[in-house]
mmCIF file with all atom_site columns, all heavy atoms in Angstrom:
data_model
loop_
_atom_site.group_PDB
_atom_site.id
_atom_site.type_symbol
_atom_site.label_atom_id
_atom_site.label_alt_id
_atom_site.label_comp_id
_atom_site.label_asym_id
_atom_site.label_entity_id
_atom_site.label_seq_id
_atom_site.pdbx_PDB_ins_code
_atom_site.Cartn_x
_atom_site.Cartn_y
_atom_site.Cartn_z
_atom_site.occupancy
_atom_site.B_iso_or_equiv
_atom_site.pdbx_formal_charge
_atom_site.auth_seq_id
_atom_site.auth_comp_id
_atom_site.auth_asym_id
_atom_site.auth_atom_id
_atom_site.pdbx_PDB_model_num
ATOM 1   N N   . LEU X 1 43  ? -10.797 -37.258 -26.034 1.00 74.00 ? 43  LEU X N   1
ATOM 2   C CA  . LEU X 1 43  ? -11.048 -38.152 -27.163 1.00 74.00 ? 43  LEU X CA  1
ATOM 3   C C   . LEU X 1 43  ? -12.371 -37.763 -27.786 1.00 74.00 ? 43  LEU X C   1
ATOM 4   O O   . LEU X 1 43  ? -13.383 -37.643 -27.105 1.00 74.00 ? 43  LEU X O   1
ATOM 5   C CB  . LEU X 1 43  ? -11.100 -39.598 -26.686 1.00 74.00 ? 43  LEU X CB  1
ATOM 6   C CG  . LEU X 1 43  ? -9.829  -40.092 -26.006 1.00 74.00 ? 43  LEU X CG  1
ATOM 7   C CD1 . LEU X 1 43  ? -9.997  -41.537 -25.592 1.00 74.00 ? 43  LEU X CD1 1
ATOM 8   C CD2 . LEU X 1 43  ? -8.643  -39.961 -26.934 1.00 74.00 ? 43  LEU X CD2 1
ATOM 9   N N   . THR X 1 44  ? -12.358 -37.566 -29.088 1.00 75.00 ? 44  THR X N   1
ATOM 10  C CA  . THR X 1 44  ? -13.618 -37.213 -29.731 1.00 75.00 ? 44  THR X CA  1
ATOM 11  C C   . THR X 1 44  ? -14.290 -38.422 -30.358 1.00 75.00 ? 44  THR X C   1
ATOM 12  O O   . THR X 1 44  ? -15.506 -38.480 -30.431 1.00 75.00 ? 44  THR X O   1
ATOM 13  C CB  . THR X 1 44  ? -13.393 -36.152 -30.825 1.00 75.00 ? 44  THR X CB  1
ATOM 14  O OG1 . THR X 1 44  ? -12.410 -36.637 -31.722 1.00 75.00 ? 44  THR X OG1 1
ATOM 15  C CG2 . THR X 1 44  ? -12.929 -34.853 -30.213 1.00 75.00 ? 44  THR X CG2 1
ATOM 16  N N   . SER X 1 45  ? -13.505 -39.378 -30.840 1.00 74.00 ? 45  SER X N   1
ATOM 17  C CA  . SER X 1 45  ? -14.162 -40.561 -31.380 1.00 74.00 ? 45  SER X CA  1
ATOM 18  C C   . SER X 1 45  ? -13.210 -41.734 -31.333 1.00 74.00 ? 45  SER X C   1
ATOM 19  O O   . SER X 1 45  ? -12.009 -41.571 -31.494 1.00 74.00 ? 45  SER X O   1
ATOM 20  C CB  . SER X 1 45  ? -14.610 -40.313 -32.815 1.00 74.00 ? 45  SER X CB  1
ATOM 21  O OG  . SER X 1 45  ? -13.492 -40.310 -33.667 1.00 74.00 ? 45  SER X OG  1
ATOM 22  N N   . ILE X 1 46  ? -13.750 -42.896 -31.089 1.00 76.00 ? 46  ILE X N   1
ATOM 23  C CA  . ILE X 1 46  ? -12.978 -44.143 -31.125 1.00 76.00 ? 46  ILE X CA  1
ATOM 24  C C   . ILE X 1 46  ? -13.723 -45.109 -32.019 1.00 76.00 ? 46  ILE X C   1
ATOM 25  O O   . ILE X 1 46  ? -14.904 -45.356 -31.827 1.00 76.00 ? 46  ILE X O   1
ATOM 26  C CB  . ILE X 1 46  ? -12.823 -44.759 -29.723 1.00 76.00 ? 46  ILE X CB  1
ATOM 27  C CG1 . ILE X 1 46  ? -12.146 -43.770 -28.788 1.00 76.00 ? 46  ILE X CG1 1
ATOM 28  C CG2 . ILE X 1 46  ? -12.034 -46.038 -29.800 1.00 76.00 ? 46  ILE X CG2 1
ATOM 29  C CD1 . ILE X 1 46  ? -11.943 -44.307 -27.408 1.00 76.00 ? 46  ILE X CD1 1
ATOM 30  N N   . LYS X 1 47  ? -13.045 -45.617 -33.027 1.00 78.00 ? 47  LYS X N   1
ATOM 31  C CA  . LYS X 1 47  ? -13.663 -46.599 -33.908 1.00 78.00 ? 47  LYS X CA  1
ATOM 32  C C   . LYS X 1 47  ? -12.764 -47.819 -33.955 1.00 78.00 ? 47  LYS X C   1
ATOM 33  O O   . LYS X 1 47  ? -11.551 -47.693 -34.131 1.00 78.00 ? 47  LYS X O   1
ATOM 34  C CB  . LYS X 1 47  ? -13.799 -46.040 -35.330 1.00 78.00 ? 47  LYS X CB  1
ATOM 35  C CG  . LYS X 1 47  ? -14.604 -44.773 -35.423 1.00 78.00 ? 47  LYS X CG  1
ATOM 36  C CD  . LYS X 1 47  ? -14.507 -44.196 -36.815 1.00 78.00 ? 47  LYS X CD  1
ATOM 37  C CE  . LYS X 1 47  ? -14.942 -42.743 -36.795 1.00 78.00 ? 47  LYS X CE  1
ATOM 38  N NZ  . LYS X 1 47  ? -14.466 -41.995 -37.929 1.00 78.00 ? 47  LYS X NZ  1
ATOM 39  N N   . VAL X 1 48  ? -13.397 -48.974 -33.792 1.00 79.00 ? 48  VAL X N   1
ATOM 40  C CA  . VAL X 1 48  ? -12.645 -50.218 -33.863 1.00 79.00 ? 48  VAL X CA  1
ATOM 41  C C   . VAL X 1 48  ? -13.290 -51.081 -34.921 1.00 79.00 ? 48  VAL X C   1
ATOM 42  O O   . VAL X 1 48  ? -14.468 -51.393 -34.842 1.00 79.00 ? 48  VAL X O   1
ATOM 43  C CB  . VAL X 1 48  ? -12.665 -50.958 -32.510 1.00 79.00 ? 48  VAL X CB  1
ATOM 44  C CG1 . VAL X 1 48  ? -11.869 -52.228 -32.598 1.00 79.00 ? 48  VAL X CG1 1
ATOM 45  C CG2 . VAL X 1 48  ? -12.128 -50.057 -31.419 1.00 79.00 ? 48  VAL X CG2 1
ATOM 46  N N   . PHE X 1 49  ? -12.517 -51.411 -35.943 1.00 81.00 ? 49  PHE X N   1
ATOM 47  C CA  . PHE X 1 49  ? -13.065 -52.339 -36.942 1.00 81.00 ? 49  PHE X CA  1
ATOM 48  C C   . PHE X 1 49  ? -11.911 -52.964 -37.690 1.00 81.00 ? 49  PHE X C   1
ATOM 49  O O   . PHE X 1 49  ? -10.796 -52.433 -37.720 1.00 81.00 ? 49  PHE X O   1
ATOM 50  C CB  . PHE X 1 49  ? -14.031 -51.638 -37.889 1.00 81.00 ? 49  PHE X CB  1
ATOM 51  C CG  . PHE X 1 49  ? -13.478 -50.400 -38.518 1.00 81.00 ? 49  PHE X CG  1
ATOM 52  C CD1 . PHE X 1 49  ? -12.746 -50.462 -39.705 1.00 81.00 ? 49  PHE X CD1 1
ATOM 53  C CD2 . PHE X 1 49  ? -13.684 -49.152 -37.937 1.00 81.00 ? 49  PHE X CD2 1
ATOM 54  C CE1 . PHE X 1 49  ? -12.245 -49.323 -40.293 1.00 81.00 ? 49  PHE X CE1 1
ATOM 55  C CE2 . PHE X 1 49  ? -13.190 -48.011 -38.525 1.00 81.00 ? 49  PHE X CE2 1
ATOM 56  C CZ  . PHE X 1 49  ? -12.474 -48.101 -39.697 1.00 81.00 ? 49  PHE X CZ  1
ATOM 57  N N   . THR X 1 63  ? -7.865  -49.759 -34.352 1.00 68.00 ? 63  THR X N   1
ATOM 58  C CA  . THR X 1 63  ? -8.559  -48.732 -33.556 1.00 68.00 ? 63  THR X CA  1
ATOM 59  C C   . THR X 1 63  ? -8.172  -47.370 -34.076 1.00 68.00 ? 63  THR X C   1
ATOM 60  O O   . THR X 1 63  ? -6.987  -47.074 -34.214 1.00 68.00 ? 63  THR X O   1
ATOM 61  C CB  . THR X 1 63  ? -8.141  -48.828 -32.081 1.00 68.00 ? 63  THR X CB  1
ATOM 62  O OG1 . THR X 1 63  ? -8.335  -50.156 -31.644 1.00 68.00 ? 63  THR X OG1 1
ATOM 63  C CG2 . THR X 1 63  ? -8.945  -47.883 -31.232 1.00 68.00 ? 63  THR X CG2 1
ATOM 64  N N   . PHE X 1 64  ? -9.150  -46.565 -34.391 1.00 70.00 ? 64  PHE X N   1
ATOM 65  C CA  . PHE X 1 64  ? -8.886  -45.201 -34.843 1.00 70.00 ? 64  PHE X CA  1
ATOM 66  C C   . PHE X 1 64  ? -9.413  -44.234 -33.795 1.00 70.00 ? 64  PHE X C   1
ATOM 67  O O   . PHE X 1 64  ? -10.593 -44.251 -33.462 1.00 70.00 ? 64  PHE X O   1
ATOM 68  C CB  . PHE X 1 64  ? -9.560  -44.936 -36.189 1.00 70.00 ? 64  PHE X CB  1
ATOM 69  C CG  . PHE X 1 64  ? -9.021  -45.790 -37.288 1.00 70.00 ? 64  PHE X CG  1
ATOM 70  C CD1 . PHE X 1 64  ? -9.548  -47.043 -37.545 1.00 70.00 ? 64  PHE X CD1 1
ATOM 71  C CD2 . PHE X 1 64  ? -7.952  -45.348 -38.062 1.00 70.00 ? 64  PHE X CD2 1
ATOM 72  C CE1 . PHE X 1 64  ? -9.028  -47.842 -38.543 1.00 70.00 ? 64  PHE X CE1 1
ATOM 73  C CE2 . PHE X 1 64  ? -7.432  -46.133 -39.059 1.00 70.00 ? 64  PHE X CE2 1
ATOM 74  C CZ  . PHE X 1 64  ? -7.972  -47.392 -39.306 1.00 70.00 ? 64  PHE X CZ  1
ATOM 75  N N   . VAL X 1 65  ? -8.524  -43.429 -33.267 1.00 67.00 ? 65  VAL X N   1
ATOM 76  C CA  . VAL X 1 65  ? -8.893  -42.511 -32.193 1.00 67.00 ? 65  VAL X CA  1
ATOM 77  C C   . VAL X 1 65  ? -8.646  -41.087 -32.661 1.00 67.00 ? 65  VAL X C   1
ATOM 78  O O   . VAL X 1 65  ? -7.542  -40.759 -33.089 1.00 67.00 ? 65  VAL X O   1
ATOM 79  C CB  . VAL X 1 65  ? -8.042  -42.776 -30.931 1.00 67.00 ? 65  VAL X CB  1
ATOM 80  C CG1 . VAL X 1 65  ? -8.421  -41.821 -29.830 1.00 67.00 ? 65  VAL X CG1 1
ATOM 81  C CG2 . VAL X 1 65  ? -8.203  -44.208 -30.477 1.00 67.00 ? 65  VAL X CG2 1
ATOM 82  N N   . ASN X 1 66  ? -9.652  -40.247 -32.590 1.00 67.00 ? 66  ASN X N   1
ATOM 83  C CA  . ASN X 1 66  ? -9.467  -38.811 -32.824 1.00 67.00 ? 66  ASN X CA  1
ATOM 84  C C   . ASN X 1 66  ? -9.458  -38.120 -31.479 1.00 67.00 ? 66  ASN X C   1
ATOM 85  O O   . ASN X 1 66  ? -10.296 -38.397 -30.625 1.00 67.00 ? 66  ASN X O   1
ATOM 86  C CB  . ASN X 1 66  ? -10.604 -38.248 -33.689 1.00 67.00 ? 66  ASN X CB  1
ATOM 87  C CG  . ASN X 1 66  ? -10.473 -38.698 -35.119 1.00 67.00 ? 66  ASN X CG  1
ATOM 88  O OD1 . ASN X 1 66  ? -9.464  -39.278 -35.497 1.00 67.00 ? 66  ASN X OD1 1
ATOM 89  N ND2 . ASN X 1 66  ? -11.500 -38.439 -35.902 1.00 67.00 ? 66  ASN X ND2 1
ATOM 90  N N   . LEU X 1 136 ? -7.895  -48.574 -22.910 1.00 51.00 ? 136 LEU X N   1
ATOM 91  C CA  . LEU X 1 136 ? -6.763  -47.936 -23.561 1.00 51.00 ? 136 LEU X CA  1
ATOM 92  C C   . LEU X 1 136 ? -6.709  -46.540 -22.971 1.00 51.00 ? 136 LEU X C   1
ATOM 93  O O   . LEU X 1 136 ? -7.689  -45.813 -23.004 1.00 51.00 ? 136 LEU X O   1
ATOM 94  C CB  . LEU X 1 136 ? -7.045  -47.872 -25.055 1.00 51.00 ? 136 LEU X CB  1
ATOM 95  C CG  . LEU X 1 136 ? -5.901  -47.614 -25.988 1.00 51.00 ? 136 LEU X CG  1
ATOM 96  C CD1 . LEU X 1 136 ? -4.892  -48.717 -25.866 1.00 51.00 ? 136 LEU X CD1 1
ATOM 97  C CD2 . LEU X 1 136 ? -6.442  -47.586 -27.381 1.00 51.00 ? 136 LEU X CD2 1
ATOM 98  N N   . PHE X 1 138 ? -4.889  -42.781 -22.836 1.00 53.00 ? 138 PHE X N   1
ATOM 99  C CA  . PHE X 1 138 ? -3.968  -41.866 -23.495 1.00 53.00 ? 138 PHE X CA  1
ATOM 100 C C   . PHE X 1 138 ? -3.498  -40.830 -22.501 1.00 53.00 ? 138 PHE X C   1
ATOM 101 O O   . PHE X 1 138 ? -4.291  -40.243 -21.782 1.00 53.00 ? 138 PHE X O   1
ATOM 102 C CB  . PHE X 1 138 ? -4.655  -41.149 -24.672 1.00 53.00 ? 138 PHE X CB  1
ATOM 103 C CG  . PHE X 1 138 ? -4.750  -42.003 -25.894 1.00 53.00 ? 138 PHE X CG  1
ATOM 104 C CD1 . PHE X 1 138 ? -5.875  -42.743 -26.143 1.00 53.00 ? 138 PHE X CD1 1
ATOM 105 C CD2 . PHE X 1 138 ? -3.685  -42.072 -26.778 1.00 53.00 ? 138 PHE X CD2 1
ATOM 106 C CE1 . PHE X 1 138 ? -5.957  -43.541 -27.270 1.00 53.00 ? 138 PHE X CE1 1
ATOM 107 C CE2 . PHE X 1 138 ? -3.769  -42.859 -27.905 1.00 53.00 ? 138 PHE X CE2 1
ATOM 108 C CZ  . PHE X 1 138 ? -4.905  -43.595 -28.150 1.00 53.00 ? 138 PHE X CZ  1
#
Side-chain angles (χ1 to χ4, degrees):
Chain X
L43 301 181
T44 55
S45 73
I46 302 181
K47 302 172 197 160
V48 181
F49 52 87
T63 307
F64 296 88
V65 180
N66 287 351
L136 197 61
F138 281 94

